[in-house]
Amino acid sequence: MKKIDFRNLHRDLGYFYIGLIVSFAFSGLMMNHRESWHPDKYTTETKAIEVQLPEESEINEKFAEGLGKKLGIDDKMRRHMVKKGTFKISFEKHDVEIDMKTGKGEIVSFIKTPIISQSMSLHKNTSNFWIYYSDIFALSLITIALTGTIMIKAGKFSWKNRGWKLAVAGIAFPLLFLILFG
């Protein structure tokens, strides 16, 4: 049996996971900006509406589902919320936004954007299989990172001379972000 070579392990894990790394990075970018441009939804129609809303304390799931039916929406409701004076309901194929004070709003009808929508679901999936696969992926990324530290044994680009400084900076940046903005 051949001895485990960290260089080969690093290379082979990198090759094996390259598609998933790119997919996660791509879907992560989409998820980061989903509130501003809804990358997984392709708008097909926008319709103005005006409804009478009850007090915010009376808005619940049953009310949101009933309002959806009154508005002619027959797909499954995902969630509802009141945020910054706007009542929002998200359905499978529609989004509804209504100003709490005026009752004016709109229904946006959409279809899923091919490929982008499916890749974004990587970050949303909660099946047991995907959780375990993601755990294995996370451990493999740690292995790739650690085996990468011993790839260059000596010289100005080695772990000892340069790598550890970049690693500390890489750890410090998210910690600093959490301290300042968390």
Side-chain angles (χ1 to χ4, degrees):
M1 186 170 183
K2 189 178 174 185
K3 186 176 101 173
I4 293 178
D5 180 353
F6 286 118
R7 182 175 292 272
N8 291 339
L9 178 64
H10 178 86
R11 180 201 62 223
D12 291 346
L13 283 174
Y15 286 160
F16 181 79
Y17 284 114
I18 194 164
L20 191 55
I21 291 168
V22 171
S23 296
F24 261 123
F26 181 68
S27 65
L29 286 168
M30 302 292 170
M31 290 292 289
N32 287 343
H33 303 283
R34 68 187 175 272
E35 292 297 321
S36 57
W37 61 287
H38 303 289
D40 66 335
K41 300 174 183 177
Y42 177 77
T43 301
T44 58
E45 178 187 14
T46 302
K47 178 180 161 187
I49 57 170
E50 190 167 347
V51 297
Q52 181 132 10
L53 293 175
E55 292 297 318
E56 186 176 337
S57 61
E58 296 176 39
I59 293 178
N60 55 31
E61 187 171 336
K62 186 177 179 180
F63 172 79
E65 286 176 349
L67 180 59
K69 288 190 186 340
K70 284 181 189 174
L71 295 171
I73 299 171
D74 60 359
D75 45 312
K76 183 180 176 194
M77 187 184 82
R78 289 188 183 152
R79 64 184 175 277
H80 71 281
M81 70 175 110
V82 176
K83 187 175 180 181
K84 297 181 182 177
T86 303
F87 178 42
K88 299 179 179 187
I89 314 172
S90 181
F91 295 90
E92 290 289 324
K93 299 176 186 170
H94 299 85
D95 284 336
V96 177
E97 289 192 13
I98 305 168
D99 183 280
M100 288 293 294
K101 290 180 183 167
T102 66
K104 293 181 180 180
E106 64 182 14
I107 300 172
V108 177
S109 302
F110 59 86
I111 57 172
K112 297 285 185 181
T113 306
I115 300 171
I116 292 174
S117 178
Q118 288 82 0
S119 69
M120 285 182 67
S121 69
L122 291 173
H123 276 85
K124 300 175 188 176
N125 197 317
T126 58
S127 74
N128 283 338
F129 168 79
W130 190 250
I131 289 170
Y132 293 131
Y133 184 73
S134 295
D135 289 347
I136 293 166
F137 174 55
L139 293 171
S140 296
L141 286 175
I142 292 167
T143 303
I144 290 169
L146 295 177
T147 56
T149 65
I150 59 172
M151 298 294 277
I152 300 174
K153 301 273 187 214
K156 68 179 184 177
F157 299 115
S158 69
W159 173 257
K160 182 179 174 184
N161 290 326
R162 180 179 176 165
W164 72 270
K165 296 171 191 169
L166 292 170
V168 168
I171 292 169
F173 184 76
L175 290 176
L176 186 62
F177 182 84
L178 287 174
I179 291 167
L180 295 175
F181 303 107

